[in-house]
Amino acid sequence: DAPSCSTIYLDKPMKNHSLMQTIARANRVCGDKEAGLIVDYVGVFRNLQRALAIYARGTASGQLPIKDKAALLGELAKALDAVKEFADRRGVSPFAIASAKGLARLKALADATEALVGTDAEKQAYLRLEGQAWKRYKASLPDPRAGPYTADMAVLHVLADRLRALTPKADVSGVLDAIDDLLDESII
């Protein structure tokens, strides 16, 4: 029930349970957010290994549930390459769209959207690839090393939004009404 928090600044010493609760607060999944950013001003992370040993489970290989930003940026590069390769096979170049100006950019976006629509399965494949890259990009911010990915990610994300806008929203109000009626009958 707490509001989403993506960044926490540690400015006082913390250990064990308090440290783990704080980290969990920033890393709580919410919507598109998969990770949080913890800025450590006082060197709290030197206590992290002890706290993780007490309160966290690692993988079978002993790997802890934290990632270095460099590893996250590596995942971002792979995910971005995958979505760019998918787009490139359909004649879509994020660089060309980003470098276009004015009406030429709008036309390039419209043409790229048309090229990516394809079948429903192809559209869903693009949206899945772009979503994976977008989540990694957002998780890597505000690290300046994410800067080189910004232009491509912005174009690919706009294209994904345009594709989503083409998909009609399902009207489930009739189903919800039927469920409400069934629940009312069950209660009676």
Side-chain angles (χ1 to χ4, degrees):
D1 61 343
S4 177
C5 174
S6 59
T7 305
I8 290 185
Y9 300 91
L10 301 178
D11 61 352
K12 65 180 181 179
M14 296 177 127
K15 289 192 219 178
N16 301 334
H17 185 63
S18 300
L19 178 58
M20 292 308 295
Q21 278 189 317
T22 302
I23 290 170
R25 175 79 174 95
N27 286 323
R28 189 171 297 139
V29 174
C30 179
D32 284 343
K33 181 184 148 238
E34 284 191 348
L37 174 66
I38 300 166
V39 180
D40 182 8
Y41 287 113
V42 293
V44 169
F45 280 116
R46 66 180 169 262
N47 297 320
L48 183 60
Q49 295 292 355
R50 268 191 311 242
L52 285 172
I54 297 169
Y55 297 104
R57 287 189 193 122
T59 62
S61 65
Q63 186 178 12
L64 294 173
I66 56 173
K67 288 184 185 175
D68 184 67
K69 281 282 187 165
L72 184 61
L73 289 164
E75 290 177 15
L76 168 59
K78 286 180 187 175
L80 183 57
D81 286 346
V83 71
K84 283 170 59 176
E85 180 183 316
F86 184 93
D88 189 48
R89 286 194 308 261
R90 283 146 186 85
V92 175
S93 168
F95 176 78
I97 296 170
S99 59
K101 302 288 182 217
L103 293 176
R105 181 180 289 170
L106 291 177
K107 176 156 180 21
L109 282 169
D111 292 345
T113 304
E114 189 67 31
L116 291 171
V117 168
T119 66
D120 193 45
E122 290 172 328
K123 182 172 68 170
Q124 292 306 319
Y126 175 79
L127 292 174
R128 181 180 39 77
L129 289 169
E130 187 278 334
Q132 291 169 349
W134 183 252
K135 287 177 183 178
R136 284 164 179 77
Y137 174 71
K138 293 294 282 181
S140 67
L141 294 177
D143 194 308
R145 294 175 290 179
Y149 304 108
T150 300
D152 285 343
M153 282 308 315
V155 169
L156 294 168
H157 193 64
V158 166
L159 289 171
D161 285 344
R162 291 174 65 106
L163 287 173
R164 282 187 204 96
L166 294 174
T167 306
K169 302 289 183 217
D171 182 16
V172 295
S173 59
V175 174
L176 292 176
D177 290 341
I179 291 171
D180 285 342
D181 291 343
L182 183 62
L183 286 173
D184 288 343
E185 285 178 32
S186 296
I187 292 172
I188 291 172

